[in-house]
């Protein structure tokens, strides 16, 4: 009796291309050789049953070429006009290249405002799902024509990470002009070591001197930020060279085969450098199978960020990364403990408030040590209510404005009516509207963090 081989699981793969991978930095001509290889790679993966999304920069660069301009202007309306000109030609170029291989594509333009609204976020998520189900490859870009600083993602690395989380992607490929991350700048340090696997991003010590091209907005540091976002949502994130798009197929095959051989994704590569969690160590296996070693030799050079074993998804990811925080609510350790046990945030646990925000706006949650007896500071300043640097632990959508929370902080819920004359809720924030950074908390400086 012949056993039937189980078909490989279809994967969802997001490929992010920066401006320097799409247009020449000096002439602004489209890099047709790279784009053609990207298209062939995407179609090959699609024919293998995988779902593909491309996050493509380049609209402004293509607009510069169309208008015969030498460099990116500084005036915002002019940049937005160039984006409008370039986006038409950019999507036309993608459509033409994919059209040769009879592969339909779709255009999706987003700003942070589009995902800050929960309904619009779900609409975008549903549109992605339907397009992928139809066998279409979505081409995503930030809507630079209408985006201003307040509603921009900042760079397409961040946009690609949020897109990957939105579609529950298996892989996010951040294509760049180097093979991988290095512990030092390889251009000036011949002894620079490649970093092949990153288990803990907070322990990462890598060279981030690459600041992006003159046409783009990203750099290596933004890719590490994007990797942090994507891995927190359970997405394996890879940095590799854009001029060799075929690496994507080989890396996916390599990692999937390692998973099949070991039953899970091993965090330690057969060779190269690994960034381990600061709080623990990983035991090096005594022996590896010949097949695994062969795979390791054949794998193209890349940096792979291991996804979180406790991914933050859907509504909780949206709370953390879809919304821009408008202020900070400082809470005591008792409130943090109660929130960890799935309780809502009561006013008695609030120590202080910073910033100006309205009801149902997002705020940072920072845990602090409450001062037992607040005494007035020198110069008649308001008494210090807490001490220490504070630890940012998550985000919340609040039921009350900053001014209202200032009045009810530290009191029992039964006293809200008497203090405000009304009581919208007994909670400052409902537990379903609170999300924590599971993998880590990071220290914050209140005056610098609030922007």
């Amino acid at each position: 009796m012949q056993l039937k081989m189980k078909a490989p699981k279809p994967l969802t793969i997001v490929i992010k291309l920066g401006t320097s991978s799409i247009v020449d930095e000096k002439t602004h001509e489209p890099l047709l050789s790279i784009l053609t290889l990207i298209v062939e790679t995407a179609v090959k993966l699609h024919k293998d049953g995988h779902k593909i999304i491309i996050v493509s920069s380049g609209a402004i660069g293509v607009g510069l070429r169309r208008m015969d301009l030498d460099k990116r202007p500084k005036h915002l309306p002019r940049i937005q006009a160039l984006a409008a000109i370039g986006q038409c030609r950019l999507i036309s170029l993608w459509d033409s290249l994919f059209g040769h291989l009879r592969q339909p594509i779709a255009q999706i333009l987003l700003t942070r405002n589009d995902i800050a609204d929960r309904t619009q976020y779900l609409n975008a998520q549903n549109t992605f799902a339907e397009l992928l189900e139809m066998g279409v490859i979505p081409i995503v870009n930030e809507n630079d024509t209408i985006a201003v600083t307040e509603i921009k993602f900042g760079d397409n690395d961040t946009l690609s990470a949020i897109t990957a989380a939105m579609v529950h992607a298996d892989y996010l490929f951040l294509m760049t002009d180097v093979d991988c991350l290095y512990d030092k700048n390889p251009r000036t340090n011949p002894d620079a070591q490649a970093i092949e696997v990153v288990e803990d991003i907070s322990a990462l010590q890598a060279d981030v001197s690459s600041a992006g091209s003159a046409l783009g907005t990203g750099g290596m540091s933004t890719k590490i930020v994007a990797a942090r976002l994507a891995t927190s949502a359970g997405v394996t994130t890879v940095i590799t060279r854009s001029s060799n798009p075929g690496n994507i197929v080989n890396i996916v095959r390599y990692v999937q085969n390692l998973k099949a051989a070991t039953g899970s994704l091993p965090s330690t590569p057969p060779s190269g450098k690994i960034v381990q969690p600061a709080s623990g160590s990983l035991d090096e296996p005594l022996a590896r199978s010949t097949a695994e070693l062969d795979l390791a030799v054949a794998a193209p050079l890349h940096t792979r960020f291991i996804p979180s074993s406790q991914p933050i998804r859907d509504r909780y990811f949206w709370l953390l990364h879809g919304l821009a925080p408008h202020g900070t609510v400082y809470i005591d350790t008792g409130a943090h403990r109660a929130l960890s046990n799935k309780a809502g945030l009561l006013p008695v646990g609030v120590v202080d408030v910073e910033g100006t925000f309205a009801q149902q706006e997002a705020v940072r949650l920072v845990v602090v040590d409450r001062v037992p007896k607040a005494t007035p500071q020198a110069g008649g300043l308001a008494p210090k209510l807490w001490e220490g640097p504070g630890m940012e632990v998550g985000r919340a959508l609040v039921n009350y404005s900053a001014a209202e929370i200032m009045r009810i902080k530290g009191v029992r819920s039964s006293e809200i009516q008497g203090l405000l004359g009304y009581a919208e809720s007994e909670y400052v924030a409902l537990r379903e509207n609170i999300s924590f950074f599971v993998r880590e908390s990071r220290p914050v400086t209140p005056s610098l963090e609030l922007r």
Side-chain angles (χ1 to χ4, degrees), residues 136-150:
V136 174
I137 294 180
I139 310 289
V140 184
N141 196 3
E142 181 157 17
N143 194 348
D144 290 314
T145 301
I146 62 170
V148 292
T149 304
E150 290 78 9

Side-chain angles (χ1 to χ4, degrees), residues 102-354:
R102 301 177 62 83
Q103 172 59 51
I105 66 166
Q107 175 179 253
I108 295 183
L109 299 176
L110 295 171
T111 66
R112 189 170 280 282
N113 262 10
D114 295 323
I115 65 166
D117 180 85
R118 181 64 180 161
T119 302
Q120 287 181 232
Y121 180 91
L122 292 173
N123 286 342
Q125 193 175 48
N126 291 337
T127 300
F128 274 119
E130 196 63 30
L131 286 170
L132 295 173
E133 190 64 32
M134 293 168 66
V136 174
I137 294 180
I139 310 289
V140 184
N141 196 3
E142 181 157 17
N143 194 348
D144 290 314
T145 301
I146 62 170
V148 292
T149 304
E150 290 78 9
I151 61 171
K152 281 180 72 68
F153 289 101
D155 57 83
N156 273 3
D157 293 322
T158 302
L159 173 59
S160 68
I162 290 176
T163 300
M166 188 186 289
V167 300
H168 300 171
D170 298 282
Y171 289 91
L172 167 62
F173 281 86
L174 300 171
M175 310 301 286
T176 184
D177 57 358
V178 294
D179 292 304
C180 61
L181 283 178
Y182 291 87
D183 58 355
K184 299 178 224 173
N185 188 336
R187 295 182 181 93
T188 55
N189 296 277
D191 61 338
Q193 272 193 296
I195 300 173
E196 293 188 17
V197 176
V198 178
E199 171 82 10
D200 180 13
I201 295 179
S202 61
L204 179 63
Q205 292 183 337
D207 172 65
V208 293
S209 55
S210 170
S213 71
L215 297 178
T217 57
M220 199 54 76
S221 60
T222 64
K223 286 169 179 54
I224 294 172
V225 171
R228 187 191 300 276
L229 290 182
T231 54
S232 74
V235 182
T236 299
T237 304
V238 176
I239 291 176
T240 192
R241 188 180 287 275
S242 60
S243 58
N244 298 319
N247 285 356
I248 296 172
V249 176
N250 295 330
I251 292 168
V252 169
R253 185 180 295 130
Y254 164 71
V255 177
Q256 290 302 113
N257 285 343
L258 279 182
K259 282 184 183 178
T262 62
S264 63
L265 181 57
S267 56
T268 308
S271 63
K273 186 172 181 179
I274 175 174
V275 177
Q276 296 181 353
S279 58
S281 63
L282 297 171
D283 295 327
E284 181 71 12
L286 295 174
R288 293 182 178 271
S289 68
T290 306
E292 206 173 315
L293 289 171
D294 288 345
L295 282 168
V297 173
L301 193 56
H302 65 280
T303 296
R304 186 169 74 256
F305 296 83
I306 303 298
S308 169
S309 57
Q310 297 177 296
I312 305 165
R313 287 187 174 142
D314 298 323
R315 181 175 179 81
Y316 291 113
F317 184 90
W318 172 75
L319 284 168
L320 284 176
H321 305 298
L323 302 173
H326 291 266
T328 305
V329 172
Y330 296 92
I331 61 176
D332 60 28
T333 52
H336 182 222
R337 201 160 42 244
L339 292 175
S340 299
N341 291 325
K342 306 300 181 186
L345 177 59
L346 295 168
V348 70
V350 176
V351 178
D352 203 359
V353 180
E354 189 172 65

Side-chain angles (χ1 to χ4, degrees), residues 19-33:
T19 301
S20 62
S21 303
I22 292 173
V23 298
D24 185 274
E25 191 173 347
K26 292 179 181 175
T27 67
H28 308 147
E29 292 280 358
L31 299 173
L32 292 175
S33 57

